[in-house]
Amino acid sequence: MTTAIRPNILFVDDEPNFLDGLRRMLRPQRDQWEMHFAGGVDEALEILHATMMDAVVSDVNMPVKSGFDLLMEIKAHPEFCTAPVIILTGNAETDLKRRALDLGAADLLNKPVNSEDLIARVRSVLRLKMYEDRLRSYNEELEQRVRERTRELELSRQDIIWRLAKAGEFRDRETGEHVMRVACCSRILAKAAGLPGIEVDRIFLTSPLHDIGKIGIPDGILLKEGKLTPVERNFMERHCEIGASILLEQPRNMAIFLSSMNNQDPGKNAEKASDALRTMSAEIARAHHEHWDGTGYPEGTAGENIPVAARVVAIADVYDALRSPRPYKSAFDVKTTLTLMTDLRGAHFDPRLFDVFREVYAQFENVREQYED
C-alpha cells in the first residue's frame, strides 16, 4: 500500500513565539501536512530553493524584508511561482490587504490567528493548487501532443516535397543527385549571406523543386542529346512557369473540399493552404533562371525584384550544372567553373550573393563528395 505524499507548507514569521504557537496549534495536522518554519524572508527563500512548497503562510510586517518582499520573490521565480501565498495582516491594515492581493496573494488572514480559520484557509489554497496543477499538467500534455502532431505533419510535408522533387529528377536521367546538392549548397549560401534562419530552412526544403516544371516538357525535348532548336528552347524555358503553376495554383473547388473536411470558411482554408513553403517553392521554380541584369527568363525580371531565394538557388544550380557531366559536355573543373561564373557576376548573378559564394564554394565541393552521382 502506497502512502500519499503530504503537501509541504511553509510558515514565515520573525517572532519565534508566534512560530512556536503555530507548531502547537497545528500539531493535529502533522499526519496530513509536512510543515516547515522560517524566521525571516532569507531563510524562507533558502527553504523554497531546497524543497518545493505547496503553500506559504507569511506575516507581512517583518524587519529588513517584509512579507511583500517574499511574495514578490515567489511570484517572480519560475520554479515556485505557482505556490499560493497566504498573507497575515492586522485587522486595520486595509491598504496592506489591497496591496497583498495586487501582488498575487491567494488569500488573507487576520492576526491573531484562529486555528480553525487557518486550517480552513490552507486547505482551500491547497485544493486550488491541486486543481491548477492538474490543469497545468493536462495543458502541458495537450501541448506536447500538438507539438508531436505538428512535427509529424511537418515531416510528412517534407517527405512529399522530396519525393516530388525526385519524381521530377527521374524525368531527366542525367541529373542524378543534382537536386540534393542544389538544396544543400543553397542552404550553405543562404546561411553565409546572413538570411534569417527560418528563411534558410525554407530555401533548403523548397529548392529541390526548382526544376519540377520539367515534368511538363515532352521527352523529345527534355532528353534530346543534340542542340535544341529555337522553338524547342522556347518550349524548354516554359518549365519555369509550369513549375510555378504546379506548386502555387490550387485545384478548382479544393477550398470548398477542405472546408467540408474542417467545417471552416472556404476562403480561410484557401488562404491557409498558400503557406510560406509553397509560395517560396513557386518563386524559386519561376525565377531561378532570371538574371540580375534582366536578360533571363521567363519574365526578364531584374535585380532585387528577383526573389532572394531564387537568386540563391540560381548560383547553386549553375555551379552544380557546370561541375557535372551532361550529354553535351564534360564536367568542368573547379577553376574553370569559377572563371566562367565570375564573368557572369552582376549579369547573371546577384553580385553581393556571388561574393559570398566565392567565400564558401569549398563547402559546395564537400557537398559534391557527399552526394556523388
Side-chain angles (χ1 to χ4, degrees):
M1 181 177 179
T2 58
T3 303
I5 299 175
R6 293 179 295 175
N8 286 289
I9 317 296
L10 174 61
F11 297 91
V12 187
D13 199 291
D14 63 308
E15 297 181 12
N17 291 335
F18 181 77
L19 292 180
D20 289 339
L22 287 179
R23 287 188 180 93
R24 293 190 297 271
M25 181 188 304
L26 300 173
R27 188 174 289 117
Q29 301 299 124
R30 286 182 301 179
D31 293 338
Q32 300 181 40
W33 301 343
E34 191 70 41
M35 289 177 278
H36 307 259
F37 299 88
V41 171
D42 291 336
E43 183 182 356
L45 290 173
E46 290 180 6
I47 295 173
L48 282 163
H49 281 287
T51 306
M52 186 66 67
M53 290 295 142
D54 294 288
V56 178
V57 180
S58 175
D59 186 23
V60 67
N61 291 316
M62 292 183 288
V64 185
K65 294 181 180 179
S66 70
F68 289 145
D69 294 319
L70 176 60
L71 177 58
M72 287 187 289
E73 289 275 2
I74 290 174
K75 294 306 175 184
H77 200 286
E79 290 186 9
F80 39 77
C81 62
T82 60
V85 179
I86 298 174
I87 292 293
L88 304 179
T89 66
N91 284 319
E93 297 171 326
T94 305
D95 183 64
L96 292 182
K97 293 178 180 180
R98 182 174 61 252
R99 185 181 174 194
L101 293 174
D102 289 341
L103 291 174
D107 205 347
L108 303 170
L109 191 59
N110 292 325
K111 280 186 169 182
V113 176
N114 175 274
S115 61
E116 293 182 359
D117 199 8
L118 174 60
I119 292 171
R121 300 293 181 91
V122 172
R123 286 176 176 171
S124 176
V125 296
L126 287 175
R127 282 195 300 270
L128 179 61
K129 184 176 186 301
M130 179 184 68
Y131 296 144
E132 290 178 345
D133 287 347
R134 288 179 179 175
L135 180 60
R136 189 177 300 107
S137 177
Y138 174 77
N139 287 337
E140 290 174 356
E141 181 181 352
L142 187 61
E143 289 175 1
Q144 179 61 29
R145 291 179 181 177
V146 171
R147 285 193 294 269
E148 291 174 357
R149 181 58 177 156
T150 300
R151 180 60 178 163
E152 290 174 1
L153 292 172
E154 181 64 23
L155 289 173
S156 297
R157 179 164 58 175
Q158 293 176 16
D159 182 65
I160 291 171
I161 288 173
W162 284 99
R163 290 179 185 277
L164 183 59
K166 201 68 177 177
E169 184 182 72
F170 279 128
R171 288 287 328 282
D172 187 352
R173 60 177 178 267
E174 305 298 339
T175 58
E177 293 295 328
H178 173 68
V179 293
M180 177 63 79
R181 293 194 297 267
V182 169
C184 293
C185 292
S186 295
R187 177 170 58 182
I188 291 169
L189 180 55
K191 184 176 181 180
L195 296 182
I198 189 170
E199 195 163 353
V200 172
D201 291 340
R202 287 173 181 166
I203 290 173
F204 173 68
L205 289 172
T206 57
S207 57
L209 299 174
H210 65 282
D211 275 339
I212 192 63
K214 288 183 178 180
I215 288 176
I217 303 301
D219 288 350
I221 297 175
L222 183 66
L223 304 180
K224 184 177 180 179
E225 295 189 3
K227 185 178 181 180
L228 297 178
T229 67
V231 173
E232 291 171 336
R233 169 56 58 185
N234 289 335
F235 207 102
M236 176 66 84
E237 291 179 358
R238 288 184 56 196
H239 81 273
C240 296
E241 294 174 305
I242 293 172
S245 176
I246 291 172
L247 295 165
L248 195 58
E249 292 183 11
Q250 191 176 71
R252 188 168 58 91
N253 295 329
M254 178 59 73
I256 298 174
F257 171 74
L258 290 174
S259 66
S260 68
M261 295 291 290
N262 298 305
N263 194 27
Q264 295 179 2
D265 177 73
K268 293 182 179 179
N269 275 298
E271 183 178 353
K272 184 177 180 180
S274 298
D275 60 16
L277 280 178
R278 193 156 59 87
T279 299
M280 179 176 284
S281 64
E283 288 178 346
I284 291 172
R286 182 186 300 277
H288 70 285
H289 283 296
E290 298 288 4
H291 293 181
W292 183 257
D293 62 4
T295 61
Y297 63 87
E299 297 175 344
T301 308
E304 299 285 345
N305 290 325
I306 304 171
V308 65
R311 285 179 265 148
V312 167
V313 173
I315 293 175
D317 184 31
V318 171
Y319 183 86
D320 192 73
L322 292 174
R323 291 284 289 119
S324 302
R326 292 290 184 266
Y328 49 86
K329 75 171 185 66
S330 300
F332 294 117
D333 59 29
V334 174
K335 183 178 179 180
T336 302
T337 298
L338 291 177
T339 298
L340 292 171
M341 293 182 68
T342 301
D343 290 341
L344 298 175
R345 179 189 181 276
H348 187 156
F349 305 119
D350 177 338
R352 186 186 71 83
L353 283 177
F354 188 81
D355 291 343
V356 176
F357 155 73
R358 288 300 301 260
E359 297 175 0
V360 299
Y361 76 87
Q363 297 180 48
F364 283 29
E365 285 300 304
N366 294 335
V367 171
R368 289 190 58 79
E369 293 177 6
Q370 185 176 1
Y371 297 105
E372 291 182 316
D373 287 337

